[in-house]
């Protein structure tokens, strides 16, 4: 179908996958080339970080440079205090604020955006579509065992990938009529010790969903290696899956 034939609202769902998130940049580049502009961006973990930058209007060349130059120190700082996880999200929040601006609210972004996190106590998916961008992205990206849970208000949150690594369902809950999803890792591969939801399979076979799955081979989400090629693999997958520009 031509790009203008996508039912509206059109959502872009960016999945979690650590360093493999570089593939999202390649997908975004092809979307721009094809003239496909979503009405809503929903992200989990690294997908929430890059999704917030995209929804905030960051030019793709700038976003690509940031991805290629990023290190672990941009995302986490070691914490000596006792608790779950060895890193806190202070560095991550600082990185988000550098990308999106300090004290920026989700509702003030030029494009509608939501981050998906997991409520640690209630063990349920939470869609964060209001409030500070930095809090929402940090909550969505707090990988259990690696990062301390992120406290927002009275609640503590961990990575959205625990329950919904590819946020197709959340995109539809927010009113999307068609969703383009970018899947970086299988649901059960995201957190090997925590069996995550497999409802994504029910969505993959629907006619109102296109899932882009880059061929990432044996590349690890935990090792930032060969990022330029990962970006290209994301672009190649998008070119296979998406309609050419009219």
């Amino acid at each position: 179908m031509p790009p203008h034939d996508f039912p509206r609202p059109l959502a872009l769902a960016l999945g979690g996958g650590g360093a493999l998130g570089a593939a999202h940049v390649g997908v975004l580049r092809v979307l721009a080339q094809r003239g496909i502009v979503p009405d809503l961006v929903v992200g989990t973990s690294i997908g929430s970080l890059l999704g917030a930058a995209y929804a905030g209007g960051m030019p793709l060349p700038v976003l690509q440079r940031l991805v290629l130059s990023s290190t672990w120190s941009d995302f986490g700082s070691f914490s000596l205090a006792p608790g779950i996880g060895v890193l806190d999200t202070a560095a991550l929040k600082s990185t988000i604020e550098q990308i999106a601006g300090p004290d920026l609210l989700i509702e003030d972004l030029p494009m509608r955006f939501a981050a998906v996190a997991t409520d640690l106590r209630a063990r349920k998916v939470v869609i964060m579509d209001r409030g500070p961008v930095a809090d929402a992205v940090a909550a969505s990206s707090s990988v259990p065992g690696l990062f301390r849970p992120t406290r927002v208000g009275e609640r503590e949150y961990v990575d959205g990938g625990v329950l919904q690594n590819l946020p197709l369902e959340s995109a539809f809950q927010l009113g999307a009529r068609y969703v383009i999803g970018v899947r970086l890792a299988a649901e059960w591969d995201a957190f090997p010790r925590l069996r995550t939801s497999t409802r994504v399979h029910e969505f993959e076979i629907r006619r109102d969903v296109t899932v882009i799955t880059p061929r990432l081979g044996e590349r690890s989400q935990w090792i930032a290696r060969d990022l330029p090629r990962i970006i290209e693999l994301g672009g190649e997958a998008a070119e296979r899956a998406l309609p050419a520009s009219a």
Side-chain angles (χ1 to χ4, degrees):
M1 68 180 77
H4 55 78
D5 280 353
F6 281 117
R8 298 286 176 167
L10 170 65
L12 175 64
L14 301 178
L20 302 179
H24 288 321
V25 177
V27 173
L28 292 174
R29 186 171 61 201
V30 173
L31 286 174
Q33 293 169 348
R34 301 288 169 91
I36 301 172
V37 180
D39 304 292
L40 164 68
V41 181
V42 186
T44 295
S45 200
I46 187 63
S48 72
L49 176 59
L50 299 183
Y54 175 68
M58 176 173 286
L60 291 181
V62 176
L63 181 57
Q64 178 167 317
R65 286 198 297 271
L66 285 173
V67 168
L68 293 176
S69 64
S70 63
T71 65
W72 273 110
S73 63
D74 296 315
F75 298 97
S77 50
F78 283 99
S79 174
L80 298 179
I84 303 172
V86 296
L87 302 176
D88 63 37
T89 56
L92 175 59
K93 287 186 178 181
S94 177
T95 297
I96 298 164
E97 289 173 351
Q98 291 176 31
I99 292 174
D103 304 319
L104 183 65
L105 299 178
I106 293 174
E107 48 267 40
D108 292 335
L109 295 173
M111 183 180 291
R112 192 178 173 202
F113 169 75
V116 172
T118 300
D119 185 313
L120 185 59
R121 181 177 299 175
R123 298 184 181 182
K124 67 178 183 179
V125 172
V126 175
I127 301 172
M128 297 184 163
D129 60 348
R130 299 187 66 81
V133 173
D135 284 349
V137 174
S140 180
S141 305
S142 295
V143 180
L146 182 61
F147 284 97
R148 300 295 176 88
T150 295
R151 177 174 289 275
V152 180
E154 298 300 315
R155 297 283 185 174
E156 288 190 323
Y157 300 94
V158 294
D159 197 298
V162 171
L163 295 177
Q164 198 175 111
N165 202 42
L166 180 58
L168 301 175
E169 187 170 2
S170 290
F172 281 110
Q173 289 176 357
L174 289 167
R177 292 186 57 212
Y178 198 99
V179 181
I180 298 171
V182 185
R183 185 178 190 176
L184 303 178
E187 294 290 290
W188 51 84
D189 288 341
F191 298 94
R193 296 182 182 180
L194 297 172
R195 181 60 184 268
T196 60
S197 171
T198 57
R199 275 182 56 77
V200 65
H201 300 295
E202 300 174 20
F203 287 94
E204 283 184 305
I205 61 175
R206 289 170 46 160
R207 298 183 64 181
D208 53 0
V209 173
T210 294
V211 176
I212 300 169
T213 306
R215 296 169 181 170
L216 298 169
E218 299 301 317
R219 291 174 175 84
S220 170
Q221 61 181 316
W222 308 114
I223 301 175
R225 181 185 301 162
D226 200 17
L227 295 180
R229 181 55 182 154
I230 293 176
I231 291 174
E232 294 304 316
L233 289 171
E236 291 170 8
E239 288 174 349
R240 291 191 299 269
L242 296 172
S245 56

